[in-house]
């Protein structure tokens, strides 16, 4: 079983910064990819940033140049540095991991989410 725990959300003024963290726990799995997604009320969950093992980070156009994703494979940790925040970045942010075990490949896991609120 894989558990993802996010932290770092909160209230920030427009133009400010926040850093989200995610740590994966459990045993018997390897991580193929990790990423951050966000969801506003009544809207679909969307990819914010994603990084695969050995691959380059990918960003949504709306956050390109403002957000930066980083990962520590040994610690199974993921971060999202968010700068120049805008009110439209307000959402619940979810950590995602795609993992492989001895029985299953590319299984998706999600954290419970952390709320980011950007005020004007």
């Amino acid at each position: 079983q894989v558990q993802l725990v996010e932290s770092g959300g909160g209230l920030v003024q427009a133009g400010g910064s926040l850093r989200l963290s995610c740590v994966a726990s459990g045993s018997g799995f390897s991580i193929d990819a990790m990423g951050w997604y966000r969801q506003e009320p009544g809207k679909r969950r969307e990819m914010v940033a994603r990084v695969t093992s050995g691959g380059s980070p990918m960003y949504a156009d709306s956050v390109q140049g403002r957000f930066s994703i980083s990962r520590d494979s040994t610690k199974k940790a993921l971060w999202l540095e968010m700068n120049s925040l805008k009110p439209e970045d307000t959402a619940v942010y979810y950590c995602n991991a795609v993992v492989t075990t001895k029985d299953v490949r590319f299984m998706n896991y999600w954290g419970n989410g952390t709320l980011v609120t950007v005020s004007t």
Side-chain angles (χ1 to χ4, degrees):
Q1 188 72 9
V2 179
Q3 289 188 322
L4 302 175
V5 178
E6 306 106 329
S7 61
L11 174 63
V12 64
Q13 286 189 327
S17 299
L18 279 176
R19 187 176 193 238
L20 304 183
S21 301
C22 173
V23 178
S25 62
S27 62
F29 67 94
S30 61
I31 297 177
D32 304 295
M34 293 188 79
W36 291 98
Y37 291 71
R38 67 187 181 188
Q39 188 169 22
E40 299 174 62
K43 295 188 177 181
R44 293 183 62 181
R45 191 171 296 186
E46 63 175 3
M47 191 273 288
V48 175
R50 189 172 183 265
V51 58
T52 60
S53 297
S56 299
M58 298 170 53
Y59 296 94
D61 290 343
S62 58
V63 306
Q64 183 77 43
R66 299 188 298 122
F67 290 11
S68 178
I69 189 171
S70 58
R71 177 184 167 187
D72 184 327
S73 299
T74 58
K75 296 180 180 178
K76 297 179 180 176
L78 185 74
W79 298 272
L80 184 68
E81 190 74 36
M82 305 186 293
N83 299 311
S84 301
L85 282 161
K86 304 176 181 179
E88 51 263 43
D89 294 319
T90 296
V92 177
Y93 284 70
Y94 295 91
C95 178
N96 168 265
V98 180
V99 308
T100 292
T101 69
K102 63 179 180 64
D103 300 316
V104 181
R105 296 189 68 188
F106 307 136
M107 177 172 283
N108 263 295
Y109 284 89
W110 296 93
N112 290 328
T114 184
L115 177 62
V116 172
T117 303
V118 184
S119 64
T120 56

